[in-house]
Amino acid sequence: MAEANFPVSPDTAVADLMECLVIGYAYDAAEERFVFVSDFPLRPRGGDRTFLALVLAQVSSFKRIRGLRQRTQGADTCYGADEQTPPMVVQSVKLTDVPPRRGIQLWFGPAFGGIELEFASIEAGLRETRAEQRSGTFVYRDIATGEPLDFF
């Protein structure tokens, strides 16, 4: 997902995250890196669906804010939408600036809870796709290359 086919301002992307379906996130403490992937409302090239990747670097103070649903309690440093994991959307985004660092809190609702962390830099990119349904499952292909998407 890191190879975006349409660049977007990170601040603009974060501002447009409300009610976006969360595809997944992964925090790597050793790499001090956090990757967040969601669907996204903009379709700059007229594709069927657009996905956003945020890559935050020099991450510290990662915290999982627990929700009420027992099934999601194990999703600490990573989450991925699948048949066993309930879907969730971004319900609130809070950014803080304490130069030279920034902070973000993503809230996914009372059932799941949320996450918060501090970071030094952020990159954002969009992947616009064409969708095809196969045996009841959607396969998303990059609009420019035709390759299937690998979100992480």
Side-chain angles (χ1 to χ4, degrees):
M1 192 63 190
E3 64 282 346
N5 60 20
F6 189 81
V8 63
S9 155
D11 289 332
T12 299
V14 169
D16 287 334
L17 272 179
M18 294 297 292
E19 298 185 8
C20 288
L21 178 69
V22 178
I23 304 301
Y25 68 75
Y27 169 60
D28 185 328
E31 297 276 328
E32 297 181 328
R33 180 179 166 181
F34 179 78
V35 177
F36 177 85
V37 179
S38 71
D39 72 343
F40 200 69
L42 301 178
R43 286 166 183 72
R45 295 186 180 134
D48 297 325
R49 193 166 186 188
T50 302
F51 296 93
L52 167 72
L54 297 174
V55 180
L56 292 77
Q58 297 176 354
V59 171
S60 64
S61 304
F62 178 88
K63 179 181 173 187
R64 168 74 159 83
I65 305 163
R66 299 263 179 241
L68 302 173
R69 186 173 287 182
Q70 192 66 29
R71 285 189 349 191
T72 63
Q73 296 304 312
D76 284 334
T77 58
C78 64
Y79 163 87
D82 60 27
E83 293 84 27
Q84 272 61 53
T85 308
M88 62 184 180
V89 298
V90 177
Q91 294 186 11
S92 172
V93 179
K94 294 180 184 172
L95 283 171
T96 57
D97 285 314
V98 183
R101 300 188 60 76
R102 299 179 80 185
I104 189 168
Q105 182 188 78
L106 298 170
W107 181 251
F108 309 118
F112 186 90
I115 54 172
E116 63 183 24
L117 54 90
E118 293 180 359
F119 60 95
S121 66
I122 182 172
E123 294 179 7
L126 300 177
R127 296 280 307 268
E128 197 164 358
T129 65
R130 294 280 180 223
E132 51 185 76
Q133 191 171 8
R134 292 188 181 165
S135 304
T137 302
F138 282 97
V139 175
Y140 296 98
R141 296 186 176 277
D142 185 283
I143 198 169
T145 67
E147 295 177 19
L149 259 60
D150 177 7
F151 292 106
F152 291 97

